[in-house]
Amino acid sequence: MPKKKTGQRKKAERQKARQKELRKARGNRPLAELPCNSVMECDKCQRRQKNRAFCYFCQSIQRLPQCCSCGKVKCMLKTGDCVIKHPGTFTTGLGMVGAICDFCEAWVCHSRKCLQTHACTCALIDAACVECERDVWSHGGRIFNCHFCKNFLCEDDQFEHQASCQVLDQESFKCMSCNRQGQYSCLRCKTCYCEDHVRRKGFKYDNKQKIPCPKCGFDTEETKELSMSTRTHKYGRQQMSFGDHDDNEDEGAVGYGSYSYDDYGDDDDDDDDDEYDEEDDDDDDDEEEDEDEDEGEDKKS
């Protein structure tokens, strides 16, 4: 018969399980909650931006720099792994700073652990926006991940991209290798695959995990669980513009609907001009007839 667990034993097991969950959650933190991508407000220009060493707009230094690895703004360790020892005193400001990250453009504190590990584990190493192709140093906003394709997005393009992300780069839901209906869709390649062509030959798949895309390796999703749509082409009258037209601008397909209100106004003016022209022609004809009659009378006399 097994021994009955004591209260101390149960408490130790619960604490061990809790520490395991914390370590697992630390590796799966969302990008918006990381200290290197936190919100910062400049002390001088009062503009909100991503956490960085210098203000993106006025280039001023923050009064309380925040570490992009651990997120602290004040070092209170009396005996720790600080590179610069400060026994008995707490450090803030530039006294806590040890380096600047080359990827996220933010301060790194003088902790030995942050200085050694942050450059290798920075989440913004290749954080270039998939829409505008700008990196962290090219804009002052924060970086986000697309909910569907997991690509990096800047603060300006995140909503517009996610609204149009579930669109295939093909005109139907058929598989790329055959004409059967695609049951699995890759949100990064924007393609569909059937049950046979989504699996590679000679490779064993885990039933508990999602099937990776055979082209890029990204996890595929079932098409029926997504709001996927196909790419459409709009032919015919695609431009319905009302206003002044510039002859120098390159316009696309212009149909019957490309007339402007000014054109309609010009037509009315042309009609009025035609009426005046007709009246002038009648007057000219009357004058010519009078001249002909005068000439005939002169000849008779």
Side-chain angles (χ1 to χ4, degrees):
M1 186 175 181
K3 295 182 179 180
K4 186 177 181 180
K5 293 183 180 179
T6 60
Q8 187 176 4
R9 176 75 176 182
K10 293 179 181 179
K11 184 178 179 180
E13 290 181 355
R14 286 196 300 267
Q15 186 176 3
K16 185 178 180 180
R18 178 60 178 168
Q19 292 294 332
K20 186 176 180 180
E21 291 179 0
L22 289 175
R23 287 193 298 269
K24 185 178 179 181
R26 192 180 297 115
N28 297 328
R29 293 177 65 184
L31 189 62
E33 296 181 1
L34 295 178
C36 60
N37 198 30
S38 60
V39 181
M40 183 189 78
E41 185 175 352
C42 181
D43 298 331
K44 292 187 178 181
C45 63
Q46 304 297 325
R47 292 190 178 183
R48 296 170 63 88
Q49 55 192 291
K50 191 193 79 66
N51 179 27
R52 58 183 71 243
F54 304 95
C55 178
Y56 181 80
F57 303 99
C58 63
Q59 304 297 323
S60 62
I61 302 176
Q62 289 297 101
R63 185 173 60 88
L64 292 175
Q66 182 183 7
C67 178
C68 58
S69 180
C70 59
K72 64 183 179 182
V73 295
K74 184 176 183 181
C75 184
M76 303 178 64
L77 296 177
K78 296 181 180 180
T79 57
D81 61 342
C82 298
V83 176
I84 302 174
K85 301 299 181 181
H86 48 93
T89 59
F90 299 152
T91 58
T92 57
L94 294 179
M96 190 194 68
V97 170
I100 298 177
C101 180
D102 293 332
F103 306 111
C104 62
E105 196 187 355
W107 295 113
V108 183
C109 68
H110 59 207
S111 174
R112 191 181 301 274
K113 179 181 179 182
C114 295
L115 291 172
Q116 290 179 351
T117 60
H118 176 73
C120 302
T121 61
C122 183
L124 305 181
I125 292 178
D126 53 349
C129 179
V130 69
E131 291 289 337
C132 59
E133 297 181 356
R134 294 184 299 176
D135 55 356
V136 179
W137 293 76
S138 301
H139 63 90
R142 302 166 66 194
I143 301 294
F144 299 93
N145 282 124
C146 179
H147 181 71
F148 305 106
C149 61
K150 305 302 180 185
N151 285 320
F152 289 106
L153 295 171
C154 65
E155 199 166 0
D156 300 330
D157 299 326
Q158 58 166 331
F159 295 111
E160 184 178 357
H161 171 82
Q162 291 187 113
S164 60
C165 187
Q166 300 186 68
V167 179
L168 297 174
D169 289 340
Q170 53 191 26
E171 299 179 0
S172 63
F173 291 96
K174 293 182 179 180
C175 178
M176 292 293 294
S177 302
C178 60
N179 290 327
R180 287 187 295 180
Q181 189 73 12
Q183 301 177 6
Y184 298 92
S185 298
C186 178
L187 291 169
R188 184 165 291 181
C189 298
K190 309 298 182 185
T191 54
C192 286
Y193 301 96
C194 63
E195 183 69 29
D196 296 336
H197 292 97
V198 76
R199 302 176 184 272
R200 291 180 294 177
K201 295 182 179 179
F203 187 81
K204 294 183 179 180
Y205 294 92
D206 189 2
N207 296 328
K208 297 181 180 179
Q209 298 180 356
K210 296 181 180 180
I211 302 176
C213 175
K215 183 178 180 181
C216 65
F218 187 71
D219 292 339
T220 58
E221 302 284 346
E222 292 190 13
T223 308
K224 62 181 181 180
E225 296 180 357
L226 302 172
S227 299
M228 298 295 292
S229 59
T230 57
R231 184 179 57 185
T232 57
H233 299 279
K234 296 180 181 179
Y235 299 99
R237 306 173 200 157
Q238 299 181 8
Q239 186 172 0
M240 298 288 290
S241 60
F242 295 97
D244 296 334
H245 294 283
D246 191 1
D247 296 333
N248 297 327
E249 294 180 357
D250 297 334
E251 297 181 354
V254 179
Y256 296 104
S258 62
Y259 292 103
S260 62
Y261 292 115
D262 297 337
D263 297 336
Y264 293 110
D266 294 340
D267 294 340
D268 297 337
D269 297 339
D270 294 340
D271 295 339
D272 296 337
D273 294 339
D274 294 339
E275 292 178 359
Y276 290 122
D277 294 338
E278 291 177 358
E279 292 178 358
D280 295 338
D281 294 339
D282 295 337
D283 296 338
D284 294 338
D285 295 338
D286 294 338
E287 292 177 358
E288 290 177 358
E289 290 177 359
D290 295 338
E291 291 176 357
D292 294 338
E293 290 177 357
D294 295 338
E295 291 177 358
E297 291 177 357
D298 294 338
K299 289 180 181 180
K300 290 180 181 179
S301 60

